[in-house]
Amino acid sequence: MTEQKKQVLLVDDDREVLNLNGEFLKKKGYSVVLAEKAADALEILKNTTVHCIVLDVMMPEMDGFTALGRIRELTDAPVLFLTGKAAEEDRIRGLSEGADDYILKPCSLEELSLRIMINIKKAQKLNNRKNVLEFPPLRIELVNHKAFCYEEEIILSNREYDLLVLLARNPGVDMTFEMIGKALYNSYMEADRKNIMVTASRLRKKLEDYVGMEKMIETVWGKGYRFKG
């Protein structure tokens, strides 16, 4: 399967710079979207998934610093400032307000491409960590909706998997029957306690079949359960 091209949004009020940078990045294998105004970039982000944003600071109507705050409301994609504003206070402001990199013009296109690649890879690693819960030998892949002991899949029902994820996201926390019920069923009645106990019992028996996972879930007597990890 061919890997999908990474999409880069370039935002600069200088059309010549946009075209030059855009054509170079296309040759490097990126898909490129161009915007001459920050407002146009924001509209693009409402309907388009991008993997990196290269943003000028000095633009009419809305500067890059202002745009950055608005961008962060729409996407977690890395934002690289590419600007002629070289003062130390500007670099500090850009990075402290959430930019992932601050690049001064003029910048070689090879360096720009390299920095884009580095920041996209860094973002991917962070996203992968968010999508996986690891308590060796247990690994839970949230995107795939699966749990593993090392590389062997643990076959769970949907309810067992949901309970495992809930507990694993709160290691060391005493999760009461009410907390579990509201998380799994969106509401809780005392009659739900039995269903939760049955699900927890089945889950624990399945985990106990694997070495190193025998005591991952503890009973908090009279209250609920605790994930030890």
Side-chain angles (χ1 to χ4, degrees):
M1 183 181 294
T2 303
E3 184 179 358
Q4 183 181 10
K5 286 185 177 181
K6 302 303 182 187
Q7 185 145 264
V8 179
L9 172 60
L10 303 179
V11 190
D12 198 309
D13 63 324
D14 188 327
R15 190 71 197 186
E16 184 177 351
V17 169
L18 272 184
N19 290 336
L20 181 66
N21 293 353
E23 288 304 313
F24 182 83
L25 292 175
K26 287 177 183 178
K27 292 177 183 178
K28 287 291 186 177
Y30 293 101
S31 175
V32 178
V33 183
L34 307 179
E36 292 184 57
K37 295 180 180 179
D40 295 338
L42 294 174
E43 288 302 313
I44 290 169
L45 290 172
K46 290 177 182 178
N47 302 295
T48 306
T49 299
V50 303
H51 300 92
C52 187
I53 301 162
V54 180
L55 179 65
D56 191 14
V57 172
M58 296 180 288
M59 293 184 292
E61 299 178 20
M62 185 189 306
D63 66 31
F65 294 136
T66 303
L68 177 59
R70 301 277 297 277
I71 287 170
R72 281 291 174 242
E73 296 174 1
L74 299 170
T75 179
D76 291 326
V79 177
L80 286 61
F81 276 124
L82 178 61
T83 177
K85 289 182 75 66
E88 181 180 10
E89 58 265 29
D90 291 319
R91 296 198 301 273
I92 291 173
R93 180 182 177 187
L95 294 171
S96 65
E97 292 188 7
D100 296 272
D101 208 341
Y102 196 99
I103 309 167
L104 295 179
K105 294 179 180 178
C107 171
S108 79
L109 295 177
E110 286 289 352
E111 180 183 351
L112 176 61
S113 176
L114 177 61
R115 293 207 189 200
I116 289 171
M117 180 189 71
I118 290 171
N119 278 280
I120 288 177
K121 286 185 175 181
K122 188 186 300 181
Q124 286 178 324
K125 287 181 180 179
L126 289 173
N127 285 333
N128 288 339
R129 288 175 193 157
K130 291 178 183 177
N131 292 328
V132 176
L133 297 174
E134 290 193 87
F135 301 90
L138 174 66
R139 185 178 80 257
I140 306 171
E141 297 183 357
L142 301 176
V143 172
N144 297 325
H145 204 80
K146 293 181 178 181
F148 298 84
C149 177
Y150 294 113
E151 299 305 317
E152 183 180 353
E153 183 179 355
I154 305 166
I155 305 303
L156 302 174
S157 69
N158 288 336
R159 190 65 74 195
E160 291 162 358
Y161 172 84
D162 290 342
L163 177 57
L164 177 60
V165 170
L166 174 64
L167 295 175
R169 279 179 164 159
N170 299 277
V173 177
D174 292 355
M175 298 293 291
T176 66
F177 290 110
E178 183 176 359
M179 293 165 67
I180 294 170
K182 287 182 177 178
L184 298 187
Y185 311 129
N186 297 317
S187 63
Y188 178 75
M189 296 185 295
E190 192 59 31
D192 294 328
R193 178 185 291 229
K194 183 177 180 180
N195 291 332
I196 295 170
M197 292 175 68
V198 169
T199 300
S201 177
R202 289 174 177 169
L203 173 60
R204 291 172 72 173
K205 286 180 180 177
K206 290 183 178 181
L207 296 183
E208 287 169 0
D209 286 338
Y210 298 88
V211 176
M213 297 171 59
E214 299 90 342
K215 297 181 180 180
M216 279 193 159
I217 298 176
E218 292 184 328
T219 297
V220 182
W221 295 107
K223 292 180 62 178
Y225 300 95
R226 180 193 306 118
F227 186 82
K228 286 185 64 177

